Structures are given as structure tokens and as C-alpha cells.
Amino acid sequence: MEQYIIEGGTPLKGEVTISGAKNAALGILAASILTDEDVLIENIPDVNDINVMLEAISNIGARVDRIDAHTVKINGSTISELEVEDDYMRRIRASYYFIGALLGKYRKARVPLPGGCAIGARPIDQHIKGFRALGAEIEIDGGSLYAYADQLTAAHIFFDVVTVGATINVMLAAVMAKGQTIIENAAREPHIVDVANFLNSMGAKIKGAGTDIIRIRGVESLHGTEYAIIPDQIESGTFMCMAAATRGDILIKNVIPKHLESITAKLQEMGNEVQEFDEAVRVIGAPLQRHTDIKTQPYPGFPTDMQPQITVALALAEGTSIVTEGIFEKRFKYVEELARMGGRIRVQGNVAIVDGVRGFSGATVTAPDLRAGAALVIAGLQASGRTRIEEIGFIKRGYEDFDKKIRALGGRIRYLQ
Ligand code: UD1
């Protein structure tokens, strides 16, 4: 069984370079099949979720040339299959982007419905609402969603919840719809902007991405492009929390500091030093850190995908912190694992009450999901003694060379197969 073995207690010091944004890449890869011309995408992260997405794209008949670990060329002219296999949906939820992309280009898609997930209910009602507004018929049978339309027509869509997935999916379906689509209450995450910039580089006419109103003027067709994906906000934030929790000093390179503002602000409130440069941030962990409160919210609020990592840092700060999970209801499963390492955290519904301790002690723990797995690695790096982390397949879905990058910072982590 794959696992990490960590000998903790060493402050992490040095430089780390951040990879391309996984969640932006998932949307962009789906968007790349909207044209019949070649699309060259650079700075894709070499992580399992992306590799599965590329397999899914190749499986529907598109040409996928992996030029190197971080560059891929895609050509969607040979797509022959408008149906995505169940296995892909089970492996990555983001394969629901094929609904928007295939519907947008071929007016037809059949995609298995995403199942439940470890972090709580994740409905797709807002995606469906958007597709229907554009004139698509949606049928659900045999566990699959079948979407089809003679013609897609622009619409005025108001999302009832702020959702990243539905915002991207509806953009994909609307770029070639007739007329001007307006999405209100759109999500504003950096990867929404990146997907919109990518589509615009293919000839789409999208305005307002990054605000809560996105306007999409439909075009007849899209053309090929070359595009480099933005750096990963969550990978950056994870190393920032690692510096704080281990009382280390890490220069995190290839980041967009603006995307990290909510994380920077919280680490500073705790007493850490955060220096911002043009494309880097340096975090110097303070020996004594203070408690603070956090509530996860859509961007520019504090990201839910950073909640476990900052909670680990707060669990090592003086006093009591309150962490409120505002997006997904079941995102505190790792708390039981942290308790085995000496963490003192009580969970009441979507709130965690975190009493700071002086340090963790090594134990055998299980990663319950991707970000919680990364948080347990941070805890293990701080802990005295040896920590064994099981189920690290989750971590490899979203972090490129995680153990290698940590070793380069002086962390004692081994990967065992
Ligand atoms: C994306 C990210 C995920 C991140 C999340 C929130 C990708 C591949 N994944 O997930 O890492 O944690 O954003 O930043 O980019 N909702 C509905 N109806 C819908 C859609 C969503 O009620 O149709 C709710 C969800 O249950 C959740 C909230 O809206 O409570 C936000 O979900 P959403 O932003 O859509 O998350 P994902 O796109 O699945």
C-alpha cells in the first residue's frame, strides 16, 4: 500500500516552485475540445487527476500528444464518442465538464452522474439549470445525464449558490450559443478567470470573469491556441501553511501573490511573517503563533480547499481558534486522525473549535481526501517521532512531486509503495 513515512520535527527551509493549477487545468483541458484545431497547453501539473482527464479526452476520440510532463497538444477534430465512460466520472468529478464542452460543440452529451464524495453532498442542479436555460433538454436515466439541443440560445442565468463547477460548465456550453449569455452570481475563483482567458484566446468573447457577472457573446466557432496555465493557489497555500506549522522559512516561487491574499492575511494575523514579491511569497513561521478565526467562503474569501491545512497550523497556535466550513458540510474528517497525533479539536456541525497544542506526536493516520491528506503531511512534518500516512493516493491526485518538493526543503519524508 502506498504511504508516506515522515520523521518530523525539522523546520522546513529553502525554496519551492509551484506547479500549474490543477482545477484550472481540468476546465481548460475540457475546453480544448471545443475547437477542431490544435491547442497547445503549457504548465499543466503532472498529477493523477490531470492524467485521468487526458485519458478521458483521448477515450472520446480526441488526439492527445503529451509533449513533455507539463505540455500537451490536443486536437478535438477526431472526436467520435459523445459519451463519457462511468469509470472516468468515478475517478474525477470534474469530468462533468464534458457535459458543457460536448453540448457546446456537438449539441449532445451523455455523461454519468457524479456520485457522492467524501467531503459532502455535491449536487449539480445549478449546472442543469444553466444548460436548460440555454435551451438544452436534460434527461436522467440509468445513472447518466443525457443533454441535447437542436440549437443553444443565449440566456440570463442567475445561480442560486456560488459554484465554481457550474460557472465553468455553463461558460463551456455558452461560448458558441446564439446571442449574449449573462451569468449572475458567478463564482470568481482564479481558475474561472483562467478558463475564460483560455477560451478568449480561442476566439471566445467572454467578459467579466473574476466578477460575479459574466457576459458571454456567442461566436460561430473557436480556433486553436497556445496557453500557459496559472500557478496553483492551493499548492502555494499548502507550502505557506507548512512554513508556519513547522516554524520554517520557505520562499514559494511561481505564484500569483494576489490569489493568496486571504491565506497571507490569516497567517499574518497568527503572527507569521509573509513577504510578497512579484511572483513569489516568503513565509517565515513565528516561534509563537496566535489563534484566529476562519470561515471558508467563495473567492476572494478563504478557500475551502485550504481549510484542513490552516487548521493544522492553528492547532499549533496559542489559544482557541474557531474554523467554520462554509462550503462543504463534511470536511472535518481528518480531525479524528489529528487527534491521534495529539490535536485538540472538537467538531460541532460545520464548526471546529481548535485548542492549540505545543506540538504533535507521530502516529499512523489515514488521508481521508486530497487536501486533508496534505494537512496530515504538514502535521507529520511538525510532529515529534515518526508518522505513517496511508491512502496517499488522494494526495497524488493533486500535488505534483509532493514528497520530492518537501525533501528539497529539508523535510524527512519517504514514499513507500
Ligand atoms: C470546485 C473545486 C474544489 C473546490 C470547490 C469550492 C474543481 C475541480 N474543484 O469544486 O476543489 O473545493 O470548487 O471552491 O475545480 N452546489 C450546488 N449545486 C450545484 C453545484 C454546487 O448546490 O449545482 C454547491 C455545492 O454543494 C457546494 C457549493 O455549491 O456546497 C460549491 O460547490 P462548487 O463550487 O460547485 O464546487 P466544485 O465545482 O464541485
Side-chain angles (χ1 to χ4, degrees), residues 190-191 193 230-231 233 255-263 299 303:
H191 42 292
V193 180
I230 53 166
Q233 175 203 27
V255 305
I256 300 176
K258 172 120 194 75
H259 295 167
L260 305 174
E261 276 171 357
S262 62
I263 305 160
Y299 189 84

Side-chain angles (χ1 to χ4, degrees), residues 386-403:
R386 171 177 292 193
T387 296
R388 178 190 301 272
I389 303 185
E390 298 180 340
E391 299 290 350
I392 60 166
F394 282 118
I395 303 174
K396 294 171 79 189
R397 289 178 60 165
Y399 288 90
E400 179 172 341
D401 289 338
F402 200 39
D403 51 326

Side-chain angles (χ1 to χ4, degrees), residues 131-181:
F131 298 139
R132 284 201 169 123
L134 294 171
E137 297 289 334
I138 306 283
E139 285 170 19
I140 292 171
D141 75 278
S144 282
L145 185 148
Y146 179 43
Y148 57 96
D150 289 336
Q151 172 174 295
L152 292 173
T153 315
H156 196 135
I157 299 160
F158 187 96
F159 284 135
D160 303 314
V161 287
V162 179
T163 136
V164 171
T167 303
I168 291 180
N169 227 344
V170 169
M171 276 196 317
L172 296 176
V175 277
M176 290 189 279
K178 219 173 158 50
Q180 181 178 241
T181 295

Side-chain angles (χ1 to χ4, degrees), residues 282-319:
R282 179 180 173 194
V283 179
I284 305 168
L288 271 188
Q289 297 178 28
R290 291 184 294 276
H291 62 97
T292 188
D293 295 340
I294 293 199
K295 178 166 189 213
T296 64
Q297 284 171 320
Y299 189 84
F302 193 90
T304 174
D305 284 356
M306 280 302 303
Q307 181 261 100
Q309 304 90 314
I310 195 107
T311 300
V312 164
L314 290 170
L316 297 162
E318 285 208 325

